[in-house]
Amino acid sequence: VGFRYGQNKRGGGHKAQMAQVRAIMGASLGLLAFMLAFSFSMAQQHFEERSRAYMMEVSAIDSAFRGADLLDDDARDLAQDTLKQFARLRIATVEAGRASDTDRVVEMIRESERMHDLLWALAESSMEGGGGSENTGMFAQAVLAMINAHDARLQAAFFNRISPVIWMTLLLMALLAMVVMGYQAGLTGTRSTLATWTLAVAFAAVIALITDLDRPGMRLFQLNQQLMVELEDRMERQTSGDPGSGRP
């Protein structure tokens, strides 16, 4: 569009206008590059927050599983079985999220919160029965850490987003920068198709990367779930009486 409009205005012989358009084009592209860098930094921060929340949850589940060994036999078995189910549920929740099955994801989140309530009830009853000993307190602290990590993951996954105002500004600036660049080419009467498409595709690719990095449901940037898988496998081995588990 800018190129066609520039062609219609060509022939006026205003060299000062050409210099002005070049200056505006350079400023527009520079400002667009700055906005892209700013948006990419925000998206990267959101991705890192999701990674930290995931690591917090894995660590909290592991601590709760180990702390459950300090409970009495009935509470220990129920707590560890619940924690194994919780780990499997978390793995299934991620798979459902990648499949864009929102209803199933919400249902699994509700189920994980019910498991939190059960684990906290076990912690409360163990502390009451054991007089609030240090051993049962360790399990209670681990359960609280699980709940905090769960809240952090929900915040990072569903609410940490680049503002729509920033998206609108970014896209508007990209549009205007391309129009000015085309207008400048139209005034000169020549343009390089390769250079034009290269620049347009480069900016579009960066915007696509920012979009994917900012949203956990996209495909290019995904958290590796292997830590949770290995934790679930280790918990299963320990409760099954594996010789290396430390349990008879």
Side-chain angles (χ1 to χ4, degrees):
V1 172
F3 180 75
R4 292 182 182 275
Y5 185 71
Q7 280 185 319
N8 293 333
K9 294 293 183 179
R10 184 163 56 95
H14 302 294
K15 293 185 178 179
Q17 182 185 15
M18 286 291 300
Q20 182 185 26
V21 172
R22 288 195 186 97
I24 293 175
M25 181 185 68
S28 300
L29 291 175
L31 189 57
L32 176 59
F34 171 78
M35 283 295 298
L36 286 172
F38 174 73
S39 302
F40 193 93
S41 176
M42 290 185 63
Q44 175 68 20
Q45 181 181 357
H46 294 166
F47 182 79
E48 290 176 355
E49 288 174 356
R50 293 198 298 271
S51 300
R52 285 194 295 269
Y54 169 72
M55 292 299 300
M56 285 171 53
E57 187 167 54
V58 172
S59 177
I61 294 172
D62 189 16
S63 298
F65 188 81
R66 295 176 185 275
D69 271 333
L70 304 176
L71 305 178
D72 58 62
D73 291 344
D74 293 337
R76 180 195 65 199
D77 293 340
L78 179 56
Q80 292 186 341
D81 287 343
T82 302
L83 288 167
K84 287 189 296 182
Q85 294 174 18
F86 185 85
R88 287 193 291 267
L89 183 66
R90 275 303 196 217
I91 297 170
T93 302
V94 173
E95 293 174 352
R98 290 176 179 175
S100 301
D101 192 347
T102 306
D103 293 337
R104 189 161 174 252
V105 169
V106 172
E107 180 182 349
M108 289 180 173
I109 290 174
R110 296 291 178 260
E111 178 63 25
S112 66
E113 291 172 348
R114 286 191 288 269
M115 290 184 180
H116 285 155
D117 293 338
L118 174 59
L119 290 170
W120 182 246
L122 285 173
E124 283 186 322
S125 62
S126 297
M127 292 184 71
E128 291 172 357
S133 66
E134 182 179 352
N135 290 345
T136 54
M138 292 174 59
F139 176 72
Q141 291 175 2
V143 173
L144 284 177
M146 283 180 59
I147 296 173
N148 292 335
H150 170 78
D151 293 339
R153 289 194 73 178
L154 287 183
Q155 175 69 28
F158 291 102
F159 301 105
N160 284 1
R161 293 287 187 275
I162 295 176
S163 170
V165 176
I166 294 178
W167 277 118
M168 293 299 297
T169 303
L170 180 61
L171 295 176
L172 180 61
M173 289 178 57
L175 175 63
L176 293 178
M178 295 298 110
V179 168
V180 173
M181 188 177 65
Y183 179 68
Q184 191 270 343
L187 289 178
T188 60
T190 59
R191 68 172 175 176
S192 170
T193 303
L194 177 61
T196 300
W197 279 101
T198 299
L199 185 63
V201 170
F203 278 122
V206 173
I207 292 175
L209 287 177
I210 294 172
T211 305
D212 198 278
L213 192 61
D214 188 54
R215 299 174 183 274
M218 295 299 179
R219 294 292 181 267
L220 297 179
F221 297 94
Q222 295 181 353
L223 291 176
N224 191 335
Q225 301 296 316
Q226 189 59 34
L227 278 178
M228 188 71 77
V229 173
E230 292 179 357
L231 175 61
E232 191 273 333
D233 182 64
R234 179 162 56 81
M235 290 191 298
E236 189 66 39
R237 290 199 311 270
Q238 288 182 355
T239 55
S240 64
D242 183 78
S245 66
R247 298 222 4 222

